[in-house]
Amino acid sequence: MKLNIAKYAFNTKEQFEEKLDALHTMDEEGNNIPDFKFSVVQLGNIELEAEVLDEEGEVESEAVMSEKWHVDAAWFEQEDHPYGWKTYSEDLESEGVHGFAGLDYLSHKF
Amino acid sequence: MANTIKFGNGQWATKKDSILAFNDENANFKPLPFTATRASTATVVNKAGLLETVGTGIPRVDYLSNTSGAYLLEPSSTNLITQSEAFGNSYWTKSGAAIQGDASTAGSEQVVNGDFATDSDWTKGSAWTISGGVANYDYSATSEFASIGSNLIVGKLYQLKFNLVGTSARIYLTSALGWKTLTTGSYNYAFYATDSELMFMGANDGGRSAFTLDNVSVKEVQGFSAPSADTPLGAFKLVENSGTGQHRMSVSISSPSAIHTISAFFKPIGTNRKAYLDMGSVTGYFDFTTKVFTSATGVGSYEEVSDGWYKLSLTSNSAVTISAIFIGLAISNETYTGDGTSGVYIFGAQIEAKSYPTSYIPTAGSAITRMRDLCDTQNLSQVIGQTEGAIFYDAILVHKSINTSEDLFELSIDNGTNQNIFFINNYNNTLTIGMKNGGSTQFINNSFNPIEGARYKLAFAYKQNDFALYINGNQIATDTSGTVPAMNQITFGNYYNNQTNLQNSVKVNDFKLYNTRLSNTELVKLTTI
């Protein structure tokens, strides 16, 4: 089974949801049926720099959050990013802030 | 009657992407493999009662409180805690408490001249001196102080002990533990080494003080016995200090508004402390003696794992935005005066944007997603009764949908569409059991209110104008009008189309199909718990 992992940074959550909707077809019961097999994890506005707490639990420095809406995806049996997704893909040289259990990003990216 | 499919009931055979059902009519064994996929690794409780990671695509048979095992299928979930086991390291901020390894396993001393008997064996920055049997930090500058003879092995667990005298010492304790603000006292930290060098630093941040160090000791130790085959000595002791306040560890986590569930494994030491879980606006306490979980803003639950370990879980009542989580100790609540020795063993922490806890997802540096399990098989018309039959489903109701926002499915038998279908739908506090033929409902019942976490045995017998539903030995409904659909495929834990948002966690103990409509007496016998 061919599997690729990709990381995306969309401008907004709404933009991501539009892209995700486009990968589905609605059945007569109103259920969104995926057009092919994939797994998508919304990471949201990820932390770029962690909040620092002291021993009393007080904030020493605030976290720095990304303004982008970050998403990790596992695509099955696909040769490339789905249409409209590639523009927002990120090519990392590390595993990043999130992974899929037992699968490393670097050896599964497109 | 002919039993055309047998699945489970303590007889499990699995391999990558496959779990076996079979037909043994007339003593002639015929395997009926189900396609069972999962694109990631996952954990399961094995026969020894220990968590164990199984490989990609390996179906999970779960033995938690069940010696016969149950086939476990779960939707995808992400553990947002990025260090789920390394509680000693700086990722987890300790407040009024410390993380300790098993001191009885301590190896050789890593520090030479830790009692500072001589002015040797330490590399001293400009603000450090050794004299009078102590190391002195004079607060004139931020500077380093490193043990020359130490050579820690990255990834190994060590126990650091020392005495400190100072009113407000800002001290760096190796790269694993990071910066601490300490006052006079004896300190004890467990940490996984992230650097071979044993280096301290003093900081002349505003408002801090000079300090002295003495009796510095670093020894390799083991953790305590954990409920895990993967990390059998991966548990730690969370020990309170003698101060008044909270005795806990915390971590900063950012997760947008959603219902969340926090969970961790605890083993009590003595009977005088409760476990405490906190997601910010949602707090809960578990009393190990009474086994009562109290929470005003969430729903607590527990599972007894093995060897005295509990998996405790706390789910928010409504959507909450997470900025930090706290795990610790409590008496009546989390604020009290500690005795310096009481504590609890702890292992495997998890927070997930889910309305119930799912299986443990280990992490070590990043958030990790376990991908969903799928199990379905097609071309089964020869073993699914096409004009009459009976369906027997024995399972644990892992999670009950308590409102209309979750429309989840336990089982679907269909023809690849929702037009010809039998289903068990977990929705809005009930199990809805239905059968459709050509899109028209032939049987429907939603009167059974199941108990979350409880086993239930369901049997549905069908024949034209003769339907009967039994659960746990009781007749739930009959119907004398209806036709039977042609069905040829079976899906566990989901609707016919394996939709992400319709999938539930299920544990299937036993599943059987019959190609005759069993008698009501047989249905009672089959479903009696």
Side-chain angles (χ1 to χ4, degrees):
Chain A
M1 178 176 60
K2 179 176 167 58
L3 183 154
N4 290 98
I5 297 173
K7 294 175 181 286
Y8 302 91
F10 293 96
N11 295 329
T12 62
K13 182 181 181 184
E14 291 71 27
Q15 183 187 42
F16 156 72
E17 288 171 343
E18 278 181 25
K19 299 289 183 190
L20 185 64
D21 277 349
L23 305 181
H24 294 79
T25 303
M26 191 173 286
D27 72 6
E28 65 273 18
E29 290 183 328
N31 299 316
N32 262 333
I33 312 298
D35 296 336
F36 55 92
K37 189 178 173 187
F38 59 82
S39 178
V40 167
V41 178
Q42 294 187 63
L43 307 174
N45 304 115
I46 63 171
E47 203 173 67
L48 300 177
E49 289 180 30
E51 178 184 73
V52 178
L53 304 177
D54 65 16
E55 279 67 42
E56 289 77 42
E58 301 297 323
V59 177
E60 285 194 341
S61 63
E62 299 281 354
V64 177
M65 310 301 291
S66 170
E67 293 183 354
K68 300 283 188 180
W69 193 258
H70 293 259
V71 171
D72 278 8
W75 306 113
F76 298 86
E77 307 296 350
Q78 301 298 304
E79 295 303 319
D80 202 352
H81 302 271
Y83 177 77
W85 287 63
K86 195 169 189 172
T87 305
Y88 304 97
S89 67
E90 294 191 310
D91 187 5
L92 273 58
E93 297 303 320
S94 69
E95 291 295 312
V97 301
H98 168 265
F100 293 96
L103 303 166
D104 66 291
Y105 160 70
L106 293 175
S107 58
H108 287 89
K109 65 182 183 180
F110 283 115
Chain B
M1 63 179 179
N3 181 185
T4 52
I5 278 190
K6 293 180 178 178
F7 178 81
N9 195 25
Q11 295 180 289
W12 301 104
T14 64
K15 65 176 184 177
K16 183 172 166 53
D17 298 329
S18 182
I19 187 165
L20 194 64
F22 61 94
N23 176 305
D24 62 357
E25 290 176 89
N26 307 316
N28 183 17
F29 182 85
K30 286 182 285 188
L32 296 167
F34 279 48
T35 302
T37 60
R38 186 189 55 256
S40 73
T41 60
T43 63
V44 67
V45 176
N46 65 18
K47 283 183 178 176
L50 299 172
L51 292 162
E52 179 181 356
T53 298
V54 298
T56 299
I58 301 295
R60 290 180 289 170
V61 177
D62 187 89
Y63 290 88
L64 176 62
S65 306
N66 183 347
T67 54
S68 296
Y71 177 37
L72 171 65
L73 295 102
E74 293 180 300
S76 169
S77 191
T78 301
N79 187 355
L80 301 169
I81 293 171
T82 64
Q83 292 285 357
S84 65
E85 297 176 18
F87 301 123
N89 289 25
S90 60
Y91 174 79
W92 291 90
T93 299
K94 273 67 73 177
S95 175
I99 286 291
Q100 296 179 2
D102 185 353
S104 70
T105 65
S108 59
E109 180 60 67
Q110 299 289 311
V111 177
V112 179
N113 189 30
D115 59 0
F116 306 108
T118 60
D119 185 5
S120 62
D121 303 301
W122 291 84
T123 301
K124 296 171 290 184
S126 63
W128 290 88
T129 57
I130 295 175
S131 64
V134 295
N136 305 280
Y137 171 69
D138 67 12
Y139 192 57
S140 61
T142 296
S143 70
E144 299 176 359
F145 185 62
S147 170
I148 292 172
S150 302
N151 185 21
L152 308 184
I153 299 171
V154 173
K156 291 277 190 184
L157 180 66
Y158 293 93
Q159 192 87 35
L160 165 65
K161 295 181 180 180
F162 59 88
N163 298 332
L164 181 144
V165 177
T167 55
S168 180
R170 188 68 175 153
I171 184 169
Y172 178 87
L173 301 171
T174 78
S175 58
L177 294 167
W179 288 97
K180 309 271 180 201
T181 303
L182 305 177
T183 57
T184 297
S186 297
Y187 292 92
N188 186 342
Y189 295 99
F191 66 97
Y192 286 104
T194 53
D195 194 314
S196 60
E197 186 177 30
L198 177 61
M199 188 184 75
F200 303 123
M201 279 196 281
N204 68 341
D205 296 353
R208 307 303 184 188
S209 67
F211 60 86
T212 65
L213 289 180
D214 194 10
N215 294 326
V216 177
S217 167
V218 174
K219 292 180 179 177
E220 184 183 342
V221 293
Q222 302 292 331
F224 292 94
S225 178
S228 168
D230 301 324
T231 48
L233 295 175
F236 291 98
K237 198 174 181 179
L238 178 66
V239 182
E240 67 193 29
N241 67 14
S242 54
T244 299
Q246 290 144 343
H247 306 276
R248 64 190 188 184
M249 54 187 187
S250 62
V251 63
S252 168
I253 285 175
S254 175
S255 184
S257 181
I259 292 178
H260 284 81
T261 296
I262 183 174
S263 59
F265 294 84
F266 290 82
K267 183 177 178 179
I269 303 169
T271 57
N272 60 351
R273 293 294 180 268
K274 296 176 183 175
Y276 155 63
L277 294 171
D278 187 338
M279 291 186 277
S281 58
V282 183
T283 302
Y285 310 96
F286 180 72
D287 187 322
F288 294 104
T289 305
T290 61
K291 298 183 182 177
V292 172
F293 209 129
T294 55
S295 175
T297 48
V299 177
S301 64
Y302 73 94
E303 293 173 306
E304 295 185 55
V305 183
S306 60
D307 190 31
W309 282 93
Y310 293 79
K311 181 180 180 179
L312 305 183
S313 309
L314 177 66
T315 300
S316 61
N317 283 335
S318 57
V320 290
T321 300
I322 304 294
S323 59
I325 60 161
F326 305 86
I327 296 174
L329 301 161
I331 296 182
S332 57
N333 61 44
E334 72 272 26
T335 302
Y336 63 94
T337 301
D339 61 15
T341 58
S342 291
V344 66
Y345 296 114
I346 187 163
F347 177 77
Q350 180 158 310
I351 184 166
E352 50 196 325
K354 274 274 182 294
S355 60
Y356 60 98
T358 67
S359 61
Y360 174 55
I361 305 166
T363 67
S366 64
I368 293 291
T369 296
R370 178 200 61 246
M371 287 199 257
R372 66 179 181 152
D373 299 273
L374 297 173
C375 182
D376 53 33
T377 287
Q378 301 165 357
N379 304 317
L380 291 173
S381 56
Q382 78 281 10
V383 291
I384 300 174
Q386 300 294 303
T387 57
E388 64 174 298
I391 299 160
F392 173 63
Y393 183 71
D394 172 359
I396 307 294
L397 192 82
V398 177
H399 169 63
K400 179 169 77 167
S401 163
I402 60 169
N403 54 44
T404 57
S405 66
E406 290 183 323
D407 190 5
L408 307 171
F409 283 81
E410 307 284 302
L411 174 68
S412 176
I413 303 176
D414 52 76
N415 69 340
T417 76
N418 56 7
Q419 302 296 295
N420 286 12
I421 190 167
F422 166 82
F423 57 85
I424 303 174
N425 181 201
N426 180 347
Y427 177 71
N428 194 23
N429 271 310
T430 68
L431 286 184
T432 302
I433 293 90
M435 181 172 265
K436 288 183 183 178
N437 188 10
S440 300
T441 298
Q442 307 300 315
F443 176 92
I444 192 86
N445 180 273
N446 63 357
S447 63
F448 181 69
N449 185 345
I451 299 169
E452 185 165 275
R455 180 181 189 178
Y456 70 100
K457 291 183 174 183
L458 180 153
F460 179 72
Y462 59 92
K463 190 175 184 180
Q464 184 161 343
N465 301 328
D466 184 10
F467 300 86
L469 173 66
Y470 282 74
I471 300 177
N472 297 345
N474 300 309
Q475 185 181 85
I476 304 298
T478 59
D479 192 333
T480 57
S481 174
T483 58
V484 173
M487 302 174 285
N488 61 11
Q489 65 182 51
I490 298 170
T491 303
F492 287 114
N494 213 325
Y495 203 29
Y496 75 98
N497 50 15
N498 269 325
Q499 274 208 80
T500 303
N501 62 336
L502 301 179
Q503 183 172 6
N504 199 20
S505 288
V506 298
K507 283 186 183 179
V508 183
N509 296 316
D510 190 6
F511 173 74
K512 289 183 173 73
L513 291 182
Y514 300 83
N515 62 5
T516 54
R517 192 250 191 245
L518 300 185
S519 70
N520 290 358
T521 302
E522 287 170 320
L523 297 178
V524 170
K525 187 176 178 185
L526 202 54
T527 60
T528 298
I529 296 279

mmCIF file with all atom_site columns, all heavy atoms in Angstrom, chain B residues 441-457:
data_model
loop_
_atom_site.group_PDB
_atom_site.id
_atom_site.type_symbol
_atom_site.label_atom_id
_atom_site.label_alt_id
_atom_site.label_comp_id
_atom_site.label_asym_id
_atom_site.label_entity_id
_atom_site.label_seq_id
_atom_site.pdbx_PDB_ins_code
_atom_site.Cartn_x
_atom_site.Cartn_y
_atom_site.Cartn_z
_atom_site.occupancy
_atom_site.B_iso_or_equiv
_atom_site.pdbx_formal_charge
_atom_site.auth_seq_id
_atom_site.auth_comp_id
_atom_site.auth_asym_id
_atom_site.auth_atom_id
_atom_site.pdbx_PDB_model_num
ATOM 1   N N   . THR B 1 441 ? -37.498 1.097   5.301  1.00 0.00 ? 441 THR B N   1
ATOM 2   C CA  . THR B 1 441 ? -37.266 0.514   6.616  1.00 0.00 ? 441 THR B CA  1
ATOM 3   C C   . THR B 1 441 ? -38.205 -0.666  6.839  1.00 0.00 ? 441 THR B C   1
ATOM 4   O O   . THR B 1 441 ? -39.433 -0.539  6.714  1.00 0.00 ? 441 THR B O   1
ATOM 5   C CB  . THR B 1 441 ? -37.483 1.569   7.707  1.00 0.00 ? 441 THR B CB  1
ATOM 6   O OG1 . THR B 1 441 ? -36.530 2.616   7.513  1.00 0.00 ? 441 THR B OG1 1
ATOM 7   C CG2 . THR B 1 441 ? -37.307 0.971   9.094  1.00 0.00 ? 441 THR B CG2 1
ATOM 8   N N   . GLN B 1 442 ? -37.609 -1.827  7.185  1.00 0.00 ? 442 GLN B N   1
ATOM 9   C CA  . GLN B 1 442 ? -38.384 -3.032  7.471  1.00 0.00 ? 442 GLN B CA  1
ATOM 10  C C   . GLN B 1 442 ? -38.498 -3.270  8.970  1.00 0.00 ? 442 GLN B C   1
ATOM 11  O O   . GLN B 1 442 ? -39.472 -3.857  9.440  1.00 0.00 ? 442 GLN B O   1
ATOM 12  C CB  . GLN B 1 442 ? -37.725 -4.250  6.803  1.00 0.00 ? 442 GLN B CB  1
ATOM 13  C CG  . GLN B 1 442 ? -37.468 -4.082  5.321  1.00 0.00 ? 442 GLN B CG  1
ATOM 14  C CD  . GLN B 1 442 ? -38.737 -3.830  4.530  1.00 0.00 ? 442 GLN B CD  1
ATOM 15  O OE1 . GLN B 1 442 ? -39.757 -4.504  4.741  1.00 0.00 ? 442 GLN B OE1 1
ATOM 16  N NE2 . GLN B 1 442 ? -38.705 -2.841  3.643  1.00 0.00 ? 442 GLN B NE2 1
ATOM 17  N N   . PHE B 1 443 ? -37.488 -2.830  9.693  1.00 0.00 ? 443 PHE B N   1
ATOM 18  C CA  . PHE B 1 443 ? -37.483 -2.989  11.153 1.00 0.00 ? 443 PHE B CA  1
ATOM 19  C C   . PHE B 1 443 ? -36.670 -1.835  11.725 1.00 0.00 ? 443 PHE B C   1
ATOM 20  O O   . PHE B 1 443 ? -35.619 -1.475  11.183 1.00 0.00 ? 443 PHE B O   1
ATOM 21  C CB  . PHE B 1 443 ? -36.836 -4.323  11.550 1.00 0.00 ? 443 PHE B CB  1
ATOM 22  C CG  . PHE B 1 443 ? -36.721 -4.512  13.037 1.00 0.00 ? 443 PHE B CG  1
ATOM 23  C CD1 . PHE B 1 443 ? -37.720 -5.155  13.758 1.00 0.00 ? 443 PHE B CD1 1
ATOM 24  C CD2 . PHE B 1 443 ? -35.608 -4.028  13.736 1.00 0.00 ? 443 PHE B CD2 1
ATOM 25  C CE1 . PHE B 1 443 ? -37.616 -5.306  15.133 1.00 0.00 ? 443 PHE B CE1 1
ATOM 26  C CE2 . PHE B 1 443 ? -35.504 -4.176  15.108 1.00 0.00 ? 443 PHE B CE2 1
ATOM 27  C CZ  . PHE B 1 443 ? -36.510 -4.822  15.811 1.00 0.00 ? 443 PHE B CZ  1
ATOM 28  N N   . ILE B 1 444 ? -37.172 -1.276  12.825 1.00 0.00 ? 444 ILE B N   1
ATOM 29  C CA  . ILE B 1 444 ? -36.399 -0.234  13.503 1.00 0.00 ? 444 ILE B CA  1
ATOM 30  C C   . ILE B 1 444 ? -36.781 -0.250  14.974 1.00 0.00 ? 444 ILE B C   1
ATOM 31  O O   . ILE B 1 444 ? -37.948 -0.411  15.332 1.00 0.00 ? 444 ILE B O   1
ATOM 32  C CB  . ILE B 1 444 ? -36.645 1.167   12.870 1.00 0.00 ? 444 ILE B CB  1
ATOM 33  C CG1 . ILE B 1 444 ? -35.627 2.183   13.389 1.00 0.00 ? 444 ILE B CG1 1
ATOM 34  C CG2 . ILE B 1 444 ? -38.058 1.648   13.087 1.00 0.00 ? 444 ILE B CG2 1
ATOM 35  C CD1 . ILE B 1 444 ? -34.353 2.184   12.600 1.00 0.00 ? 444 ILE B CD1 1
ATOM 36  N N   . ASN B 1 445 ? -35.783 -0.136  15.822 1.00 0.00 ? 445 ASN B N   1
ATOM 37  C CA  . ASN B 1 445 ? -36.054 -0.034  17.260 1.00 0.00 ? 445 ASN B CA  1
ATOM 38  C C   . ASN B 1 445 ? -34.940 0.764   17.918 1.00 0.00 ? 445 ASN B C   1
ATOM 39  O O   . ASN B 1 445 ? -33.760 0.538   17.640 1.00 0.00 ? 445 ASN B O   1
ATOM 40  C CB  . ASN B 1 445 ? -36.127 -1.425  17.907 1.00 0.00 ? 445 ASN B CB  1
ATOM 41  C CG  . ASN B 1 445 ? -36.411 -1.319  19.399 1.00 0.00 ? 445 ASN B CG  1
ATOM 42  O OD1 . ASN B 1 445 ? -35.495 -1.177  20.203 1.00 0.00 ? 445 ASN B OD1 1
ATOM 43  N ND2 . ASN B 1 445 ? -37.686 -1.355  19.762 1.00 0.00 ? 445 ASN B ND2 1
ATOM 44  N N   . ASN B 1 446 ? -35.331 1.682   18.781 1.00 0.00 ? 446 ASN B N   1
ATOM 45  C CA  . ASN B 1 446 ? -34.313 2.458   19.497 1.00 0.00 ? 446 ASN B CA  1
ATOM 46  C C   . ASN B 1 446 ? -34.666 2.580   20.977 1.00 0.00 ? 446 ASN B C   1
ATOM 47  O O   . ASN B 1 446 ? -34.415 3.593   21.604 1.00 0.00 ? 446 ASN B O   1
ATOM 48  C CB  . ASN B 1 446 ? -34.122 3.840   18.865 1.00 0.00 ? 446 ASN B CB  1
ATOM 49  C CG  . ASN B 1 446 ? -35.378 4.692   18.944 1.00 0.00 ? 446 ASN B CG  1
ATOM 50  O OD1 . ASN B 1 446 ? -36.406 4.224   19.427 1.00 0.00 ? 446 ASN B OD1 1
ATOM 51  N ND2 . ASN B 1 446 ? -35.297 5.915   18.475 1.00 0.00 ? 446 ASN B ND2 1
ATOM 52  N N   . SER B 1 447 ? -35.202 1.518   21.537 1.00 0.00 ? 447 SER B N   1
ATOM 53  C CA  . SER B 1 447 ? -35.659 1.585   22.925 1.00 0.00 ? 447 SER B CA  1
ATOM 54  C C   . SER B 1 447 ? -34.606 1.141   23.931 1.00 0.00 ? 447 SER B C   1
ATOM 55  O O   . SER B 1 447 ? -34.810 1.280   25.132 1.00 0.00 ? 447 SER B O   1
ATOM 56  C CB  . SER B 1 447 ? -36.925 0.735   23.100 1.00 0.00 ? 447 SER B CB  1
ATOM 57  O OG  . SER B 1 447 ? -36.626 -0.618  22.832 1.00 0.00 ? 447 SER B OG  1
ATOM 58  N N   . PHE B 1 448 ? -33.490 0.606   23.472 1.00 0.00 ? 448 PHE B N   1
ATOM 59  C CA  . PHE B 1 448 ? -32.488 0.092   24.413 1.00 0.00 ? 448 PHE B CA  1
ATOM 60  C C   . PHE B 1 448 ? -31.472 1.179   24.746 1.00 0.00 ? 448 PHE B C   1
ATOM 61  O O   . PHE B 1 448 ? -30.809 1.715   23.862 1.00 0.00 ? 448 PHE B O   1
ATOM 62  C CB  . PHE B 1 448 ? -31.772 -1.130  23.826 1.00 0.00 ? 448 PHE B CB  1
ATOM 63  C CG  . PHE B 1 448 ? -30.748 -1.725  24.762 1.00 0.00 ? 448 PHE B CG  1
ATOM 64  C CD1 . PHE B 1 448 ? -31.152 -2.374  25.919 1.00 0.00 ? 448 PHE B CD1 1
ATOM 65  C CD2 . PHE B 1 448 ? -29.396 -1.625  24.482 1.00 0.00 ? 448 PHE B CD2 1
ATOM 66  C CE1 . PHE B 1 448 ? -30.212 -2.922  26.779 1.00 0.00 ? 448 PHE B CE1 1
ATOM 67  C CE2 . PHE B 1 448 ? -28.448 -2.175  25.346 1.00 0.00 ? 448 PHE B CE2 1
ATOM 68  C CZ  . PHE B 1 448 ? -28.866 -2.821  26.495 1.00 0.00 ? 448 PHE B CZ  1
ATOM 69  N N   . ASN B 1 449 ? -31.381 1.491   26.035 1.00 0.00 ? 449 ASN B N   1
ATOM 70  C CA  . ASN B 1 449 ? -30.429 2.492   26.523 1.00 0.00 ? 449 ASN B CA  1
ATOM 71  C C   . ASN B 1 449 ? -29.236 1.758   27.125 1.00 0.00 ? 449 ASN B C   1
ATOM 72  O O   . ASN B 1 449 ? -29.313 1.247   28.234 1.00 0.00 ? 449 ASN B O   1
ATOM 73  C CB  . ASN B 1 449 ? -31.104 3.382   27.571 1.00 0.00 ? 449 ASN B CB  1
ATOM 74  C CG  . ASN B 1 449 ? -30.185 4.518   28.003 1.00 0.00 ? 449 ASN B CG  1
ATOM 75  O OD1 . ASN B 1 449 ? -28.988 4.494   27.757 1.00 0.00 ? 449 ASN B OD1 1
ATOM 76  N ND2 . ASN B 1 449 ? -30.759 5.514   28.647 1.00 0.00 ? 449 ASN B ND2 1
ATOM 77  N N   . PRO B 1 450 ? -28.134 1.676   26.423 1.00 0.00 ? 450 PRO B N   1
ATOM 78  C CA  . PRO B 1 450 ? -27.011 0.860   26.901 1.00 0.00 ? 450 PRO B CA  1
ATOM 79  C C   . PRO B 1 450 ? -26.196 1.593   27.966 1.00 0.00 ? 450 PRO B C   1
ATOM 80  O O   . PRO B 1 450 ? -26.334 2.798   28.162 1.00 0.00 ? 450 PRO B O   1
ATOM 81  C CB  . PRO B 1 450 ? -26.178 0.669   25.639 1.00 0.00 ? 450 PRO B CB  1
ATOM 82  C CG  . PRO B 1 450 ? -26.425 1.907   24.845 1.00 0.00 ? 450 PRO B CG  1
ATOM 83  C CD  . PRO B 1 450 ? -27.827 2.335   25.144 1.00 0.00 ? 450 PRO B CD  1
ATOM 84  N N   . ILE B 1 451 ? -25.359 0.839   28.632 1.00 0.00 ? 451 ILE B N   1
ATOM 85  C CA  . ILE B 1 451 ? -24.469 1.401   29.654 1.00 0.00 ? 451 ILE B CA  1
ATOM 86  C C   . ILE B 1 451 ? -23.062 1.472   29.080 1.00 0.00 ? 451 ILE B C   1
ATOM 87  O O   . ILE B 1 451 ? -22.528 0.468   28.584 1.00 0.00 ? 451 ILE B O   1
ATOM 88  C CB  . ILE B 1 451 ? -24.475 0.524   30.925 1.00 0.00 ? 451 ILE B CB  1
ATOM 89  C CG1 . ILE B 1 451 ? -25.879 0.463   31.513 1.00 0.00 ? 451 ILE B CG1 1
ATOM 90  C CG2 . ILE B 1 451 ? -23.475 1.050   31.952 1.00 0.00 ? 451 ILE B CG2 1
ATOM 91  C CD1 . ILE B 1 451 ? -26.035 -0.581  32.595 1.00 0.00 ? 451 ILE B CD1 1
ATOM 92  N N   . GLU B 1 452 ? -22.487 2.662   29.132 1.00 0.00 ? 452 GLU B N   1
ATOM 93  C CA  . GLU B 1 452 ? -21.126 2.813   28.601 1.00 0.00 ? 452 GLU B CA  1
ATOM 94  C C   . GLU B 1 452 ? -20.164 1.935   29.386 1.00 0.00 ? 452 GLU B C   1
ATOM 95  O O   . GLU B 1 452 ? -20.188 1.890   30.608 1.00 0.00 ? 452 GLU B O   1
ATOM 96  C CB  . GLU B 1 452 ? -20.688 4.274   28.679 1.00 0.00 ? 452 GLU B CB  1
ATOM 97  C CG  . GLU B 1 452 ? -19.340 4.515   28.029 1.00 0.00 ? 452 GLU B CG  1
ATOM 98  C CD  . GLU B 1 452 ? -19.092 5.999   27.789 1.00 0.00 ? 452 GLU B CD  1
ATOM 99  O OE1 . GLU B 1 452 ? -19.538 6.514   26.768 1.00 0.00 ? 452 GLU B OE1 1
ATOM 100 O OE2 . GLU B 1 452 ? -18.446 6.618   28.648 1.00 0.00 ? 452 GLU B OE2 1
ATOM 101 N N   . GLY B 1 453 ? -19.328 1.235   28.669 1.00 0.00 ? 453 GLY B N   1
ATOM 102 C CA  . GLY B 1 453 ? -18.335 0.372   29.294 1.00 0.00 ? 453 GLY B CA  1
ATOM 103 C C   . GLY B 1 453 ? -18.835 -1.027  29.597 1.00 0.00 ? 453 GLY B C   1
ATOM 104 O O   . GLY B 1 453 ? -18.056 -1.892  29.998 1.00 0.00 ? 453 GLY B O   1
ATOM 105 N N   . ALA B 1 454 ? -20.146 -1.267  29.400 1.00 0.00 ? 454 ALA B N   1
ATOM 106 C CA  . ALA B 1 454 ? -20.714 -2.572  29.753 1.00 0.00 ? 454 ALA B CA  1
ATOM 107 C C   . ALA B 1 454 ? -20.770 -3.494  28.533 1.00 0.00 ? 454 ALA B C   1
ATOM 108 O O   . ALA B 1 454 ? -20.864 -3.051  27.393 1.00 0.00 ? 454 ALA B O   1
ATOM 109 C CB  . ALA B 1 454 ? -22.108 -2.397  30.327 1.00 0.00 ? 454 ALA B CB  1
ATOM 110 N N   . ARG B 1 455 ? -20.735 -4.775  28.829 1.00 0.00 ? 455 ARG B N   1
ATOM 111 C CA  . ARG B 1 455 ? -20.895 -5.780  27.784 1.00 0.00 ? 455 ARG B CA  1
ATOM 112 C C   . ARG B 1 455 ? -22.373 -5.890  27.430 1.00 0.00 ? 455 ARG B C   1
ATOM 113 O O   . ARG B 1 455 ? -23.241 -5.787  28.307 1.00 0.00 ? 455 ARG B O   1
ATOM 114 C CB  . ARG B 1 455 ? -20.377 -7.117  28.306 1.00 0.00 ? 455 ARG B CB  1
ATOM 115 C CG  . ARG B 1 455 ? -20.472 -8.264  27.326 1.00 0.00 ? 455 ARG B CG  1
ATOM 116 C CD  . ARG B 1 455 ? -19.941 -9.539  27.971 1.00 0.00 ? 455 ARG B CD  1
ATOM 117 N NE  . ARG B 1 455 ? -19.832 -10.614 26.986 1.00 0.00 ? 455 ARG B NE  1
ATOM 118 C CZ  . ARG B 1 455 ? -19.367 -11.816 27.269 1.00 0.00 ? 455 ARG B CZ  1
ATOM 119 N NH1 . ARG B 1 455 ? -18.959 -12.109 28.485 1.00 0.00 ? 455 ARG B NH1 1
ATOM 120 N NH2 . ARG B 1 455 ? -19.305 -12.745 26.312 1.00 0.00 ? 455 ARG B NH2 1
ATOM 121 N N   . TYR B 1 456 ? -22.671 -6.082  26.177 1.00 0.00 ? 456 TYR B N   1
ATOM 122 C CA  . TYR B 1 456 ? -24.045 -6.394  25.796 1.00 0.00 ? 456 TYR B CA  1
ATOM 123 C C   . TYR B 1 456 ? -24.039 -7.466  24.723 1.00 0.00 ? 456 TYR B C   1
ATOM 124 O O   . TYR B 1 456 ? -23.124 -7.552  23.900 1.00 0.00 ? 456 TYR B O   1
ATOM 125 C CB  . TYR B 1 456 ? -24.803 -5.135  25.332 1.00 0.00 ? 456 TYR B CB  1
ATOM 126 C CG  . TYR B 1 456 ? -24.376 -4.541  24.011 1.00 0.00 ? 456 TYR B CG  1
ATOM 127 C CD1 . TYR B 1 456 ? -25.103 -4.781  22.852 1.00 0.00 ? 456 TYR B CD1 1
ATOM 128 C CD2 . TYR B 1 456 ? -23.257 -3.730  23.929 1.00 0.00 ? 456 TYR B CD2 1
ATOM 129 C CE1 . TYR B 1 456 ? -24.729 -4.227  21.638 1.00 0.00 ? 456 TYR B CE1 1
ATOM 130 C CE2 . TYR B 1 456 ? -22.861 -3.165  22.715 1.00 0.00 ? 456 TYR B CE2 1
ATOM 131 C CZ  . TYR B 1 456 ? -23.610 -3.422  21.576 1.00 0.00 ? 456 TYR B CZ  1
ATOM 132 O OH  . TYR B 1 456 ? -23.228 -2.871  20.373 1.00 0.00 ? 456 TYR B OH  1
ATOM 133 N N   . LYS B 1 457 ? -25.066 -8.308  24.796 1.00 0.00 ? 457 LYS B N   1
ATOM 134 C CA  . LYS B 1 457 ? -25.228 -9.377  23.815 1.00 0.00 ? 457 LYS B CA  1
ATOM 135 C C   . LYS B 1 457 ? -26.528 -9.123  23.067 1.00 0.00 ? 457 LYS B C   1
ATOM 136 O O   . LYS B 1 457 ? -27.589 -9.081  23.693 1.00 0.00 ? 457 LYS B O   1
ATOM 137 C CB  . LYS B 1 457 ? -25.281 -10.740 24.503 1.00 0.00 ? 457 LYS B CB  1
ATOM 138 C CG  . LYS B 1 457 ? -23.971 -11.189 25.125 1.00 0.00 ? 457 LYS B CG  1
ATOM 139 C CD  . LYS B 1 457 ? -24.153 -12.600 25.696 1.00 0.00 ? 457 LYS B CD  1
ATOM 140 C CE  . LYS B 1 457 ? -22.855 -13.180 26.207 1.00 0.00 ? 457 LYS B CE  1
ATOM 141 N NZ  . LYS B 1 457 ? -23.047 -14.573 26.677 1.00 0.00 ? 457 LYS B NZ  1
#
